Amino acid sequence: MECTVSWTGDAGTRSAMGFVAETGSGHVLMMDGAPDAAKPENGGQNLAARPMETVLAGTGGCTAYDVVLILKRGRHRVERCSVKLTSERAEKDPKVFTKIHMHFTVAGKGIPATAVERAIALSHETYCSASIMLAKTAEITTSFDLIET
């Protein structure tokens, strides 16, 4: 896997702290830094997600993918799945994630709560590389709602 991240700030763009990531699979992701009131030339313009937001989003995508796949492999009729991640970061640099809570909402027909609980645990403990990496610095907790459709 590879990715090239390039600063766009010196290319005449609106944000002095914009970046474009080009993934090895051929996709493009824009990122921007947070605005800096004290030194506007060092801040972004809030034109795209912050880099650490993309880390959180990638973790959510990784774990939601696992949960859906595990449930489907168990022949459960999953119709919807989402995960809301909330986090806290260290106050001093490096401002790593210190707490992450993942709240899943799974909807489908006849899915046992134990299957959802197991899928989340398997993702969190075995399959989701992103959350397993982040667990080195962050306390990760999970919860879920199961909606019968």
Side-chain angles (χ1 to χ4, degrees), residues 37-102:
K39 289 192 137 197
E41 67 277 10
N42 290 340
Q45 295 292 314
N46 200 32
L47 299 175
R50 314 265 193 288
M52 289 300 285
E53 288 175 324
T54 65
V55 171
L56 202 58
T59 302
C62 182
T63 192
Y65 176 95
D66 289 341
V67 168
V68 169
L69 187 61
I70 292 164
L71 290 171
K72 286 175 72 173
R73 284 184 175 162
R75 294 182 169 72
H76 297 291
R77 296 178 61 190
V78 182
E79 294 179 6
R80 291 189 314 276
C81 178
S82 64
V83 59
K84 180 177 181 176
L85 292 88
T86 53
S87 66
E88 294 179 22
R89 292 177 63 191
E91 290 185 26
K92 296 181 181 177
D93 290 327
K95 294 178 183 172
V96 298
F97 290 110
T98 56
K99 291 183 181 181
I100 299 172
H101 182 72
M102 301 178 185

Side-chain angles (χ1 to χ4, degrees), residues 3-6 8 19-31 48 54:
C3 182
T4 302
V5 178
S6 302
T8 63
F19 295 86
V20 61
E22 298 176 57
T23 68
S25 60
H27 299 279
V28 174
L29 172 69
M30 302 301 296
M31 294 177 282
T54 65

